[in-house]
Amino acid sequence: MADTVVGANPDPHASGSSLEGEDPNRRDFIHIAAGVAAVGLVGGLAWPFIDQMNPAGDTLALASIEFDLSKVVEGQQVVVKWRGKPLFVRFRTAKEIGAAIKDNHADLRDPATDESRHKPGKAQYLILVGTCTHLGCVPTFGGGDYGGWFCPCHGSVYDTSGRIRKGPAPKNLEVPDYAFLSDTKVKVG
Amino acid sequence: MSGHSTYEPKSGLERWLDSRLPLLRFAHDTVVTFPTPKNLNYWWTFGGILSLMLGLQIVTGIILAMHYVPHVDYAFNSVQRIMRDVNYGWLIRNLHSNGASMFFLAAYIHMFRNLYYGSFKAPREVLWILGCVIYLLMIGTAFFGYVLPWGQMSFHGAVVITNLLGAFPVVGHAITTWLWGGFAVDDPTLNRFFSLHYLLPFMIAGVVGLHVWALHVPGNNNPTGVNVTSPQDTVAFHPYYTVKDGFAISVFLIMYAVFVFYLPDALGDAANYVQANPLVTPAHIVPEWYLLPFYAILRAVPDKLMGVLLMFGAIATLFVLPWLDTSKVRSMRYRPTARLYFFIFAFTCIVLGFCGAHAPDDLVIPGVSGPQFLDANLNSFVWLSRISALFYFVYFWVVTPLLGLFETPLPVPETISSPVLSHPASAPAGAVASPEKRG
Amino acid sequence: MLRKAFAFAALGLALMAGPLFAGQALAATTQAEPRDIHWSFEGPFGKFDKAQLQRGYKVYREVCSSCHSMDLLYFRNLGQKGGPFYDPKYANPNDNAVVKSLAHDIQVKDIDSDTGDVISRPAGPADKFAAPFPNEPAARASNGGALPPDLSVMAKAREGGPAYIYSILTGFVAPPKGMTVPEDKYYNPYMPGDMTSAMAKGAKVPEGGFIAMPPPLTDGKVTFDDGTKSTVANEARDVSAFLAWAAEPKMEERKAFGLGAMIYLLIFSVLLWFSYKKIWKNVSH
């Protein structure tokens, strides 16, 4: 190796000048394999380092709740606590649903159709996060001019679809992520 | 680092060290003999002020971390305990919280000085980009730090900003959950923000090291924007600029002290003295003053994702600025038209700040119900932010490239030492009449 | 030239718009400006009026504390430097006789170390101000669903500070014509709120909002030991001052330290200025 031309190979210890007659492809393969293994090592360590920031077991345990809708009578609502917030589960009457659909294209501050706020075929069940989108007070049902919720704090009025109609709140009452597990059972979150 | 070293070890110990780790040589060449243009004005003292502020924030921060508890149940009360019971805790905490504002104030002056005198231009592009990186890290640090007292504005500010990442399609939701470590801003979030708030300042310090290194290769720009040509143009950094920076730092500290001792809460929000409550949202969520312009840009667009991209675009634009400016003349002293646009731009940034502080639907001129235009009232802050945000981008992407091509700059002096115009006869009439007097 | 004209026009317009950015609250929420009253602790040299703080403490103790907690306050705070009952004789506020007797009047919950039972015992200087309700649901249940906020840092937690507290306490007025006041609510023009939906159609919407707290103060409600007339205004003023002290007990220390710091920095600046002039004397720049 000492007879390598000076300047042609800056590293005098590098093996694999063609003088040794080694197959160049084979020689590269071992370096590439070592490189890939190094990347794999970094990647294998990186994922635990990244994933540790995802919700931990104790957090996940409190993330979702199941609720039996048969507990709610027509025209009533039940309030349950979910992720630290009150959740309204309301069994709407046909009259309320009709009023909500009628206003689908009224002048709404935060436009949304009633259909987008309940699951298909389950228009009677309205599930909402029960905090006023203004300052987070808990609105009461049955107040205001739209037959829905009325926030006692600053007078925001929501209709029977939970849409903001009057007062200072900027947005409709939030619809959480939920799915029907059976005809009367929902999983929220 | 530029030029050869003039350091001569004086004692045996110094010689011994110099042949093993030339630390004293390095210090001598960078802060003692470093040739610095002799015509730097007071706008150039903010680099030194910023170094001091970084050091002060790190020291006060480490002390506060000895008393602070990063837990949702104790964070608010532990900050209050620092204010009430820890010896001189009120001083250290006021220094730290107002220090953030002072740090940003100095950084903004430093950046606008740079824009005015064209310091970002070749050969100082890397220096400028490193400065932009520092600015980004500062924004991150300030954001994480603001969450720690766990007041109402801390909490809901964190909710608003972390929700921005939810604007990205497909992965947005996964990113916010990952960032929160849960399904809302909560204890895991506070804990990791504390960890990151402790980490980032040291990263800033690292980049500041690179920034100073990149400064010492080409040397300082100066108010004329003309290159240093002879030793007559420069003076040694010490004692000439150590004493000048020292004086400026002292004056800056007086202003800082006015806030710390007499207006400690003036730059904060009253809502942050209410402990965070996820069930109650403050009437008006606003970031600290130094982030208001970006907040205004964010809210100027009705589409959340577009707003986020535009806000990041506003900062990203700064990174490519050296290649947007086509003018060969660095200093705006000799570019009257560019100077005018510069001042309009600076004013636009202030207007954006005002827009960020107001609800988008508030009326700019109270009592005048302006005409509705597209989706909003023309007299509302949302339209003012749109116009201002538009000018922000137009300034960098249209005005800056075009001005360099079309404007006629005034004659530029040949050297720093002869700021007298070399060909006064050929200068347009009236041009000489407005020499800049800035320190 | 055209470019220049355009630029000037833009600058002019911008400057004209400048003064119009007056501070505004959310369009729908309104409240009256807090009353302008003078405090002894205002300004760079302001100090708390000890007698006023003592009267304020009495108002808090006899009126406010039946609903409002002050979780960040300890009895010892009353006797610390700058506090209402500070006595230079007692460097350690825990030894202060007045503070001890004030604390002794209050019962706090504790655990009997022998039996492990929950007991009540008289408070000592190291104890916190006892909260009136054991938890938030209990506080809400006793107050018609509304939560009386903790008053520890109230004077810093509202825009206007002590002036706001004073204005709320003295600002209860009869509701204007056409206003429907909900049960257990009171109209107060200094309370932030939106009265739009409470007003009859066509009536002018007044500033202010509803507050769940009934007017707490009446003339003669508290007997001041120093003979100060106990009008609503005096009671409100004194308790507001007390809350301002409670929100920042180290305020006097801060201002005193600040004075020294300012003088020091000014001298330091002057020294550096002359040093700078001397060093740069021979450099033409």
Side-chain angles (χ1 to χ4, degrees), chain B residues 135-136 139 143 157 160-165 167-168 287 290-301 303-319 352 356 389 392-393 396-397:
Chain B
Y135 178 55
L136 267 183
I139 293 177
F143 165 66
V160 169
I161 301 300
T162 51
N163 268 314
L164 292 180
L165 298 168
F168 290 103
Y290 40 80
L291 298 178
L292 287 173
F294 296 109
Y295 196 54
I297 293 176
L298 170 80
R299 297 187 306 177
V301 202
D303 181 74
K304 194 167 154 188
L305 180 61
M306 274 301 294
V308 174
L309 292 177
L310 214 58
M311 183 177 74
F312 286 125
I315 299 174
T317 297
L318 298 175
F319 281 80
L352 277 172
Y392 180 98
F393 286 99
F396 284 119
W397 289 92

Side-chain angles (χ1 to χ4, degrees), chain C residues 11-249:
Chain C
L11 186 66
L13 270 178
L15 283 175
M16 269 161 56
L20 299 166
F21 307 125
Q24 274 184 316
L26 251 172
T29 307
T30 60
Q31 71 191 103
E33 278 291 308
R35 291 180 177 169
D36 190 22
I37 81 166
H38 172 76
W39 304 102
S40 66
F41 48 86
E42 279 171 1
F45 305 104
K47 277 184 159 35
F48 290 112
D49 171 353
K50 295 276 177 300
Q52 185 176 44
L53 296 188
Q54 295 182 4
R55 294 194 299 270
Y57 174 71
K58 194 160 193 203
V59 177
Y60 168 73
R61 182 51 63 201
E62 292 180 10
V63 184
C64 318
S65 71
S66 56
C67 298
H68 291 275
S69 59
M70 284 185 92
D71 278 343
L72 296 172
L73 270 284
Y74 296 80
F75 288 102
R76 64 179 161 83
N77 293 134
L78 296 171
Q80 74 186 32
K81 213 166 177 215
F85 299 97
Y86 173 64
D87 186 338
K89 265 197 302 198
Y90 305 106
N92 182 349
N94 285 7
D95 304 331
N96 187 310
V98 183
V99 172
K100 274 183 173 168
S101 84
L102 286 171
H104 199 83
D105 294 345
I106 311 296
Q107 293 287 315
V108 288
K109 291 260 179 300
D110 203 346
I111 303 289
D112 187 301
S113 53
D114 294 329
T115 64
D117 293 338
V118 178
I119 51 161
S120 276
R121 61 158 173 86
D127 282 307
K128 273 186 178 185
F129 282 18
F133 303 105
N135 49 47
E136 184 184 327
R140 283 189 189 277
S142 309
N143 289 283
L147 176 72
D150 185 87
L151 295 182
S152 309
V153 278
M154 185 50 79
K156 280 180 178 263
R158 296 288 185 274
E159 292 293 338
Y164 167 86
I165 298 170
Y166 174 80
S167 305
I168 289 280
L169 291 175
T170 57
F172 289 91
V173 291
K177 257 205 172 75
M179 181 185 285
T180 327
V181 182
E183 204 185 331
D184 293 333
K185 298 265 178 198
Y186 304 86
Y187 169 66
N188 194 315
Y190 300 98
M191 184 78 185
D194 177 12
M195 291 285 95
T196 319
S197 48
M199 299 304 292
K201 291 221 163 28
K204 189 174 168 293
V205 179
E207 289 179 310
F210 293 126
I211 184 167
M213 173 174 73
L217 302 173
T218 49
D219 288 337
K221 184 139 188 172
V222 178
T223 312
F224 291 128
D225 307 327
D226 61 3
T228 306
K229 211 156 172 253
S230 60
T231 58
V232 170
N234 281 346
E235 291 164 357
R237 186 190 294 253
D238 293 346
V239 80
S240 302
F242 171 74
L243 292 178
W245 166 80
E248 198 187 353

